[in-house]
Amino acid sequence: MINRNTYEIRKIFLRFFQEKDHLVLPGSKLVPSERDSSLLFTNAGMNQFRENFFKKEKLSSFTRVATSQYCIRAGGKFSDLENVGYTNSHHTLFEMLGNFSFGNYFRSESIEYAWELLTSKKWFGISKNKILITVHHLDEESYDIWANQIGISKNKIFKIEDKENHKYHSENFWKMGKTGPCGPSTEIFYNFDEKDDFDGSLESFERRKKNFIEIWNIVFIQFNLNSSSKLEPLRYKSIDTGMGLERIASVIQNVKSNYQIDIFKKLIQSIRSQFSAICFKDHTLRILSDHIRSIVLIINENIKPSNIGRGYVVRKIIRRAVRKGYLDGIREPFLYKIVSCFIRSNEKDFKYVKINQKIIEHTIKKEEKQFLKIILVGIKFLKEKLKNFNYRFISEKDMFLLHDTYGLPIDIAMEICKEYGTSIKK
């Protein structure tokens, strides 16, 4: 496996599918079109093609497509915000590589394409022995393709059951909503562990799951789920796949965390240099490097911090980053200064995209100043309360009241309580 940078990995993915007669299209904007009011932000590569999955007639224009799509998952149903900084692979913004078929190829070809791209020395050259597969427990066809057509050991293919015996409620069964197009999926994992002692049971898979990273999800859209929770076969079947660029980069660059891949290493080093006097905690650097990416690109699409909708999401992301900086000792606006670090670290990716740096910096700085005022008012109130009443304990109810009334973040309030030797009592 050749160590390639993130820019090269993206190019190889798109070139591979171009050679397989796919039309390479640009990703859509982070803010979905007015036609799709159900989404705050684009959160998957398939969003711009949603209508294609509803077509009852075969498409005559393009039926094979590949894209690279920026996605935001920091608000609404699919939010990873609170996990960011504490896991190796969660982000508020990530890039999804995807290939799609609308009434063209289906199971066999999509699995063969994935296997060739991942394992062929001409492409990514990942060791075949390091790959594990999951399928829906009723999807015998996918299981058979992996086992007999691709030749993966049956000890490394795992059938995933429905959760709590709730039909079609599974990690390996994708649904667009309570009704509509749906179908089983197969997921491809990379095993970072050196051990290779799987017995094909779910227990052996779950036992070692912390050593795996899911790198590709292939969805077979072949049914319509009707209002009676019955599956009706679609006349034309489709393929929807997604592979996180940051995740596949961690595999190809042989690091166990997305934050160790080239684009994040460069950004984190730039932040360290910019604030050399501050001793940032590791998880703070992860949070800052992740959050600045989504903040810049959201504001660049003319979304300003506010208390509703998309504006509320970007406000939450900014304030979470500021909180973490405050806890590491920063007492003045700083986040806006990281915008230049981000732009410098991604010059290749944004060569053809206009980033309104001054507007973005001004917007972030204004939001930081406003939030720091809120923090200072809340801290003053809490310190006076603790000092005047000599609290040894403070209740969780009071802490949440302080947060709701004064806007003081719980984690900052807890740090103040520690200074006064006050414990939090349930």
Side-chain angles (χ1 to χ4, degrees):
M1 182 167 60
I2 300 172
N3 190 326
R4 303 179 188 275
N5 65 41
T6 308
Y7 182 77
E8 291 170 330
I9 292 168
R10 182 195 300 111
K11 283 184 68 175
I12 289 169
F13 177 90
L14 295 174
R15 191 172 78 244
F16 173 86
F17 281 103
Q18 197 167 33
E19 289 191 12
K20 303 295 183 186
D21 298 321
H22 287 63
L23 176 66
V24 174
L25 292 176
S28 60
K29 291 186 175 183
L30 282 175
V31 177
S33 66
E34 292 180 2
R35 290 178 302 171
D36 193 352
S37 58
S38 64
L39 289 175
L40 281 174
F41 294 101
T42 297
N43 61 18
M46 58 77 66
N47 288 165
Q48 67 173 306
F49 305 116
R50 282 174 67 124
E51 292 182 8
N52 294 47
F53 298 120
F54 286 98
K55 297 281 187 184
K56 293 182 179 178
E57 307 236 340
K58 197 168 185 179
L59 298 172
S60 57
S61 52
F62 54 80
T63 57
R64 292 172 169 235
V65 176
T67 65
S68 180
Q69 173 70 58
Y70 280 118
C71 302
I72 293 281
R73 291 189 182 174
K77 181 181 176 183
F78 300 104
S79 177
D80 290 331
L81 182 59
E82 294 307 316
N83 288 320
V84 173
Y86 299 97
T87 71
N88 289 330
S89 57
H90 282 99
H91 300 289
T92 54
L93 178 134
F94 65 96
E95 194 167 346
M96 185 77 87
L97 304 172
N99 60 289
F100 308 90
S101 165
F102 309 113
N104 193 287
Y105 62 85
F106 201 51
R107 261 186 182 78
S108 182
E109 295 94 329
S110 60
I111 290 175
E112 285 177 352
Y113 289 156
W115 185 251
E116 181 183 354
L117 176 59
L118 290 175
T119 64
S120 169
K121 290 181 180 179
K122 179 183 175 182
W123 303 106
F124 290 153
I126 295 172
S127 170
K128 297 176 181 179
N129 296 326
K130 305 292 283 181
I131 291 177
L132 305 170
I133 304 297
T134 62
V135 298
H136 188 259
H137 69 110
L138 298 178
D139 188 3
E140 292 293 341
E141 187 178 349
S142 292
Y143 185 94
D144 182 68
I145 292 169
W146 282 116
N148 300 317
Q149 197 168 308
I150 302 299
I152 289 187
S153 166
K154 291 182 179 180
N155 287 350
K156 294 183 178 180
I157 310 174
F158 304 92
K159 294 182 177 180
I160 306 299
E161 302 281 336
D162 293 320
K163 293 177 182 177
E164 300 171 354
N165 293 321
H166 190 282
K167 212 169 185 183
Y168 316 128
H169 184 56
S170 167
E171 295 291 337
N172 284 73
F173 196 96
W174 179 86
K175 292 178 284 187
M176 190 172 283
K178 290 183 179 179
T179 61
C182 60
S185 70
T186 182
E187 295 179 327
I188 303 172
F189 291 80
Y190 181 84
N191 178 19
F192 280 106
D193 201 348
E194 294 302 317
K195 294 180 182 177
D196 191 20
D197 56 355
F198 300 99
D199 60 10
S201 68
L202 275 179
E203 289 77 15
S204 68
F205 179 77
E206 294 292 341
R207 188 171 61 245
R208 305 254 299 284
K209 204 169 184 179
K210 68 179 187 298
N211 296 310
F212 312 152
I213 184 170
E214 179 198 332
I215 54 177
W216 209 337
N217 186 25
I218 304 171
V219 181
F220 310 112
I221 301 176
Q222 63 186 104
F223 300 112
N224 178 62
L225 186 63
N226 65 27
S227 55
S228 302
S229 297
K230 297 286 178 66
L231 294 182
E232 304 166 338
L234 292 172
R235 185 176 178 189
Y236 295 109
K237 301 172 182 177
S238 298
I239 291 292
D240 164 24
T241 85
M243 176 164 62
L245 176 60
E246 295 83 1
R247 292 188 179 196
I248 190 63
S250 73
V251 170
I252 291 172
Q253 294 173 21
N254 196 30
V255 293
K256 291 189 177 182
S257 167
N258 290 4
Y259 294 96
Q260 294 174 320
I261 66 175
D262 58 321
I263 53 174
F264 275 105
K265 278 173 67 177
K266 195 174 179 182
L267 178 53
I268 288 171
Q269 184 55 49
S270 185
I271 295 171
R272 283 189 193 275
S273 299
Q274 183 91 334
F275 300 94
S276 55
I278 304 295
C279 187
F280 283 121
K281 296 182 181 71
D282 285 342
H283 77 268
T284 302
L285 285 168
R286 289 182 173 202
I287 288 167
L288 296 180
S289 63
D290 168 89
H291 287 15
I292 199 63
R293 285 160 41 101
S294 53
I295 292 165
V296 168
L297 293 185
I298 291 172
I299 295 175
N300 203 53
E301 293 199 16
N302 298 316
I303 303 297
K304 301 294 176 65
S306 70
N307 287 327
I308 57 170
R310 298 180 179 106
Y312 180 63
V313 173
V314 72
R315 170 164 283 171
K316 278 205 309 181
I317 300 172
I318 290 172
R319 291 188 173 188
R320 187 170 188 257
V322 173
R323 272 167 43 207
K324 298 303 178 183
Y326 189 95
L327 288 168
D328 281 2
I330 300 181
R331 297 294 182 266
E332 60 186 27
F334 74 98
L335 189 63
Y336 75 97
K337 296 177 182 177
I338 300 179
V339 173
S340 59
C341 300
F342 170 69
I343 293 172
R344 282 197 308 271
S345 301
N346 294 270
E347 287 175 335
K348 273 189 174 181
D349 291 336
F350 299 113
K351 191 175 180 180
Y352 304 106
V353 178
K354 180 174 173 54
I355 301 291
N356 298 305
Q357 183 174 343
K358 287 186 178 180
I359 293 174
I360 293 167
E361 288 174 341
H362 173 76
T363 303
I364 295 171
K365 188 176 183 180
K366 182 181 175 182
E367 182 68 18
E368 286 189 87
K369 283 182 175 180
Q370 183 181 333
F371 186 46
L372 285 169
K373 284 181 182 177
I374 292 170
I375 290 174
L376 290 175
V377 171
I379 287 174
K380 183 180 178 182
F381 176 83
L382 176 59
K383 283 186 174 181
E384 286 177 356
K385 189 177 174 100
L386 294 173
K387 185 179 178 181
N388 293 338
F389 293 93
N390 194 25
Y391 277 95
R392 288 184 58 206
F393 301 101
I394 190 167
S395 70
E396 285 185 342
K397 185 179 178 181
D398 283 343
M399 294 289 276
F400 281 108
L401 187 64
L402 190 67
H403 173 68
D404 288 342
T405 305
Y406 290 90
L408 182 64
I410 300 295
D411 47 5
I412 292 177
M414 290 175 71
E415 286 297 311
I416 302 298
C417 287
K418 281 181 186 177
E419 289 177 20
Y420 281 75
T422 300
S423 300
I424 314 298
K425 193 174 184 180
K426 292 184 178 181

